[in-house]
Amino acid sequence: MCQWTKRYWGSFSRQVFIHNKKLYPTTRGAMQGGSISPTLANITLDGLEEEIAKNYFLTKKGKVSYHQRYNKNNINIVRYSDDFVITANNKEILMEIGEVIRKFLERRGLELSEEKTLITNIKEGFDFLGWNFRKYNEKLIIKPSKKSVNNVVKKIGQTIRENKTVKQEHLIFKLNQILRGWCNYHQCVCAKETFQKLNYVIFVMLWKWVKRRHPNKNAQWVKDRYWKKKDSRDWIFSDGTYTLCESTVEK
């Protein structure tokens, strides 16, 4: 049985800058999501792994060792900026580690968010960095999380609604900016089924976008005007020059 716990970070309350070797405090905090936020999080959380190791990775002589023989609880720590996941072979150990983390953060004037901290079984799954990790019949499958999919669908829908009258090539350009980045990020996990569903959702949105522009045209005219055929593939959203990102179909 594998458990995990994680923490999402908030923005820091204060930041300073140095100019000509003089320290200048600012009255405003660091903006959450800004480029400085991950740096501040890494600086603040530096030493978290060592703090846990001092309690659970000790040799008979009392020294810290990361060798598997001294990791009887099968503890693993993965941290990316201010997000982290900790796994262990039982829930009780994770609860103990949670207290270690709380004390570690208290010394830095911080605390865990109970709302965003969770202990669960790997068979129930969890989300981390936009992916869902879950075991199905003892097989670990990683795929895009529902939240990540919903966010990109919402962003695509908003882009289409805000560009009701633009040329097809302009809409393709705007959508490709969203799709290429999102698909490239998720293509390294089990995302084929997600891409297929996303492709269908985008098609429905684009069909409504086109029908609004040509309410009196029949379906065949609309299809021939906005969707092209290439080799064995059909229904490619293209104006002949610019083509909608095909990653959602190919991956």
Side-chain angles (χ1 to χ4, degrees):
M1 181 173 65
C2 183
Q3 309 286 334
W4 67 282
T5 181
K6 68 174 180 177
R7 160 79 170 110
Y8 287 93
W9 210 254
S11 60
F12 288 78
S13 59
R14 198 76 180 272
Q15 66 176 354
V16 297
F17 69 93
I18 299 175
H19 180 64
N20 292 332
K21 298 183 180 181
K22 291 184 178 181
L23 185 66
Y24 295 89
T26 62
T27 57
R28 295 184 178 182
M31 181 179 65
Q32 187 172 4
S35 58
I36 192 64
S37 183
T39 303
L40 293 174
N42 277 322
I43 293 173
T44 305
L45 291 178
D46 185 45
L48 176 62
E49 294 86 347
E50 290 79 2
E51 186 72 16
I52 296 174
K54 287 191 299 184
N55 291 270
Y56 296 97
F57 298 116
L58 296 178
T59 65
K60 293 181 179 181
K61 296 182 179 181
K63 295 182 179 181
V64 174
S65 174
Y66 292 96
H67 195 282
Q68 187 63 33
R69 76 176 68 175
Y70 302 109
N71 186 9
K72 61 181 180 179
N73 296 304
N74 197 25
I75 298 172
N76 296 281
I77 307 168
V78 177
R79 182 167 69 87
Y80 183 85
S81 184
D82 54 355
D83 293 337
F84 58 83
V85 170
I86 301 174
T87 65
N89 56 15
N90 65 80
K91 184 177 181 179
E92 290 71 23
I93 292 298
L94 284 175
M95 294 177 68
E96 293 177 7
I97 293 176
E99 291 303 317
V100 174
I101 295 173
R102 286 182 176 87
K103 292 178 181 179
F104 176 85
L105 295 177
E106 282 178 5
R107 296 196 294 269
R108 290 156 174 77
L110 301 170
E111 62 181 12
L112 280 175
S113 171
E114 298 298 334
E115 179 184 353
K116 297 180 179 179
T117 303
L118 178 66
I119 297 179
T120 187
N121 191 284
I122 189 63
K123 293 182 179 179
E124 297 176 2
F126 63 92
D127 293 343
F128 183 61
L129 302 179
W131 293 335
N132 178 264
F133 296 74
R134 184 177 176 183
K135 270 192 173 182
Y136 298 85
N137 296 324
E138 302 305 321
K139 182 179 181 180
L140 178 65
I141 296 180
I142 307 172
K143 55 185 179 182
S145 67
K146 291 183 179 179
K147 183 178 180 180
S148 179
V149 174
N150 291 338
N151 286 341
V152 74
V153 168
K154 183 178 179 181
K155 189 173 184 179
I156 291 171
Q158 182 179 355
T159 300
I160 294 176
R161 287 192 299 272
E162 292 176 350
N163 294 273
K164 296 178 179 178
T165 60
V166 301
K167 293 182 178 180
Q168 184 182 12
E169 62 183 85
H170 292 162
L171 181 62
I172 290 174
F173 175 78
K174 290 179 178 294
L175 292 180
N176 280 348
Q177 287 182 312
I178 301 172
L179 289 171
R180 285 200 179 104
W182 194 87
C183 292
N184 287 338
Y185 178 79
H186 292 287
Q187 67 179 350
C188 60
V189 298
C190 300
K192 181 177 181 180
E193 183 178 344
T194 301
F195 285 163
Q196 290 175 342
K197 291 180 179 179
L198 180 60
N199 185 54
Y200 174 74
V201 171
I202 295 173
F203 168 77
V204 173
M205 291 180 179
L206 291 176
W207 186 264
K208 292 180 179 178
W209 179 80
V210 171
K211 289 296 292 182
R212 181 185 178 278
R213 297 161 71 94
H214 308 284
N216 298 323
K217 298 294 185 178
N218 60 46
Q220 187 61 48
W221 185 94
V222 170
K223 190 267 181 188
D224 294 339
R225 170 67 175 79
Y226 290 92
W227 279 269
K228 309 302 179 183
K229 183 176 182 180
K230 182 180 180 180
D231 299 329
S232 61
R233 291 193 61 241
D234 202 354
W235 291 93
I236 302 174
F237 191 71
S238 171
D239 65 347
T241 303
Y242 300 94
T243 303
L244 186 66
C245 176
E246 300 176 1
S247 295
T248 51
V249 176
E250 295 177 345
K251 301 300 179 183

